[in-house]
Amino acid sequence: MDKFRSIRVDAAEITPEQVYLNRRMFMKAAGVTGLAGLLAACGLQPGAEPPAGQAENQTAPDTTGTAEEPNTFEEITNFNNFYEFSTDKTEVAGLAKDFKTSPWNLYVSGLVENPATYTMEDLNKMFSMEERIYRMRCVEGWSMVIPWLGFSLAGLLEKVKPLPGAKFVRFISIFDPEQMIGQNSRSYPWPYTEGLRLDEAKNQLTLLATGLYGRPMPNQNGAPIRLVVPWKYGFKSIKSIVKIELVDYQPETLWSSIAPNEYGFYSNVNPDVSHPRWSQASERRIGEAGRRPTLMFNGYSDEVAYLYEGMDLQENY
Ligand SMILES: Nc1nc2c(c(=O)[nH]1)N[C@H]1C(S)=C(S)[C@@H](COP(=O)(O)O)O[C@H]1N2
Ligand SMILES: [Mo]
């Protein structure tokens, strides 16, 4: 578990850019002195142990994102999919500017021993926030690297105690068409909903994020609390969550209800399973020219491949 922990940030003590800038300088310095230091600096990354026998000053093979430079704050906050506001990625930030995220309640219910309603203050007290730098791969074929701030969903699940019958977790975003102009469009079955299998939800990579770049979550990125599931296409990472429900059935999700043949329940990043209308073999990293190959499970195979052993991933897309 410890290898996922990097900087633990007490929410009350966040010193915005400083956390990130110090870290970034440390990473740069570590890059010169050796792989182990570099990996420790971003210790949240999967497979963080240096490969046996690797020379001290060799660069890390870049399969985990450890050595990848995060996208800029400007990129991350001005190119957003958040259909409750707009289907135009460059328009979301402006439209979400005045979105009211306080007070906010997160209701956790269903097949649990301890259903509860948490305020953001409750969650900040209950969990110490960790920084996790994850790749985010959108199903549309672009990607970014984002330094999130948050806590493992597993921690919250431990508090509410899923009952033996709980098999899946259902997530629901806020429904507030007065504030979210895009929700007046009847093209989508609002509110936005998503789902995970319980074991996927409990995986240590699965994050409830409340910030990025050491700052509170920008509205356009899903304030005040959103899911981040880095080995799945970005649409699984549902924003502005008001309800989490433990259920015994595979829940319907917004995207699979609209186009089940295009957006399956699993939606694991997989270069070998094409979208019906385009290949998923490569992607464009925002800020880069050209394309890079897409990695199986977005590069997180070591952490998540066990979840899908024996499953046909062409069928269970
Ligand atoms: N509620 C909600 N969550 C959402 C979306 C959305 O439209 N509404 N878009 C998804 C998609 S398609 C992507 S790629 C990511 C984008 O997250 P970002 O803007 O923080 O990069 O959010 C996902 N979560
Ligand atoms: Mo996406």
Side-chain angles (χ1 to χ4, degrees), residues 81 138-139 234-235:
N81 274 329
C138 177
V139 73
F235 65 85

Side-chain angles (χ1 to χ4, degrees), residues 27-188:
M27 281 174 69
K28 287 232 164 81
V32 185
T33 53
L35 178 63
L38 177 63
L39 292 172
C42 0
L44 46 101
Q45 286 298 342
E49 268 77 31
Q54 183 137 10
E56 263 274 299
N57 54 1
Q58 224 171 305
T59 359
D62 195 8
T63 54
T64 63
T66 310
E68 287 179 34
E69 186 86 351
N71 280 88
T72 66
F73 186 80
E74 280 60 40
E75 287 165 341
I76 294 167
T77 56
N78 288 290
F79 189 78
N80 304 100
N81 274 329
F82 202 165
Y83 278 29
E84 283 89 333
F85 291 102
S86 173
T87 55
D88 177 344
K89 288 186 249 302
T90 63
E91 209 177 70
V92 171
L95 291 171
K97 194 163 43 76
D98 298 321
F99 180 54
K100 201 164 165 274
T101 57
S102 173
W104 193 273
N105 287 330
L106 175 64
Y107 179 40
V108 190
S109 66
L111 299 172
V112 294
E113 235 172 80
N114 309 314
T117 301
Y118 301 102
T119 64
M120 291 310 297
E121 292 73 28
D122 294 334
L123 295 172
N124 277 319
K125 262 182 232 148
M126 287 162 60
F127 301 102
S128 57
M129 301 295 159
E130 310 164 27
E131 185 175 71
R132 306 256 190 120
I133 303 177
Y134 286 157
R135 282 179 295 273
M136 153 90 84
R137 168 59 154 85
C138 177
V139 73
E140 297 162 343
W142 53 267
S143 63
M144 292 201 208
V145 178
I146 305 180
W148 300 108
L149 210 55
F151 57 96
S152 284
L153 173 60
L156 183 63
L157 292 174
E158 274 168 33
K159 303 273 181 200
V160 296
K161 296 206 167 83
L163 294 169
K167 297 286 181 276
F168 292 88
V169 187
R170 182 170 177 249
F171 303 86
I172 306 172
S173 292
I174 188 172
F175 180 68
D176 189 349
E178 278 182 21
Q179 289 204 81
M180 305 173 110
I181 184 187
Q183 281 185 334
N184 294 295
S185 157
R186 299 286 168 84
S187 311
Y188 301 95

